[in-house]
Amino acid sequence: MRKVAVVMGSISDWSTMKLATDILDEFEVDYDRHIISAHRMPKVLQKFGEQAQENGYAVLIAGAGGAAHLPGMLAANTISPVIGVPIESHALHGMDSLLSIVQMPSGVPVATTAIGSAGAKNAALLAAEILALTDKKVAEKLIEFRQKQTQEAIESEKQF
């Protein structure tokens, strides 16, 4: 199985991005965590993106707040799929991050999820779905996950 890179711009993004790794753990998907600032570490970012495939990364999940250049700059330096997670910021509650990530120019796609915790979880699920195209074990875990969600929804009706 190929692995996922979970990349964030700073340690302050970890509380959100940990939710992505929790999902990856649940699906037994191999991943590595990295802190790479697009603004403070541009050469490291470029090298990481350029070497992503040779380092075995099938998918990159990139969480970024504020100007949120990390996902787009990674996407510009790799052909591996990049999933951007807008981190909720204090100034604009993540809208700045969302717009920075989702408004990529034609030719450099970044799949973009919701702001914050839902986005981090969905980024991991999307990465698992991409891996499931060629990994039967991950596909089976996704099917079980969806069935469990359905059953929980059905059972929730009994609570009121």
Side-chain angles (χ1 to χ4, degrees):
M1 177 188 342
R2 305 228 9 215
K3 59 187 169 181
V4 174
V6 178
V7 187
M8 60 210 86
S10 71
I11 192 66
S12 64
D13 300 335
W14 175 239
S15 61
T16 299
M17 297 307 290
K18 182 181 183 320
L19 301 170
T21 63
D22 290 345
I23 297 283
L24 295 173
D25 286 338
E26 181 179 340
F27 285 91
E28 299 178 16
V29 169
D30 189 23
Y31 64 89
D32 294 323
R33 301 172 300 172
H34 301 273
I35 294 176
I36 305 174
S37 169
H39 302 109
R40 295 179 293 275
M41 304 164 67
K43 291 179 183 175
V44 173
L45 182 147
Q46 182 176 3
K47 184 176 178 182
F48 184 86
E50 290 171 347
Q51 296 177 347
Q53 287 208 323
E54 67 187 70
N55 288 328
Y57 295 118
V59 181
L60 288 74
I61 299 173
H69 290 117
L70 178 63
M73 291 306 297
L74 282 174
N77 285 287
T78 188
I79 60 169
S80 293
V82 176
I83 304 167
V85 178
I87 302 294
E88 187 170 351
S89 59
H90 297 288
L92 299 173
H93 307 290
M95 283 301 296
D96 47 346
S97 311
L98 173 66
L99 295 174
S100 293
I101 297 171
V102 79
Q103 285 300 113
M104 287 299 295
S106 175
V108 186
V110 174
T112 308
T113 61
I115 298 166
S117 60
K121 292 174 185 177
N122 281 338
L125 290 167
L126 182 56
E129 289 174 352
I130 292 168
L131 295 175
L133 294 170
T134 57
D135 187 320
K136 188 174 181 173
K137 181 179 171 187
V138 175
E140 289 169 357
K141 287 186 176 294
L142 279 165
I143 291 167
E144 291 172 15
F145 176 81
R146 293 283 177 94
Q147 290 171 340
K148 181 181 174 189
Q149 277 189 320
T150 299
Q151 192 58 42
E152 287 173 354
I154 292 167
E155 295 296 322
S156 71
E157 183 179 28
K158 297 175 183 173
Q159 295 178 11
F160 72 108

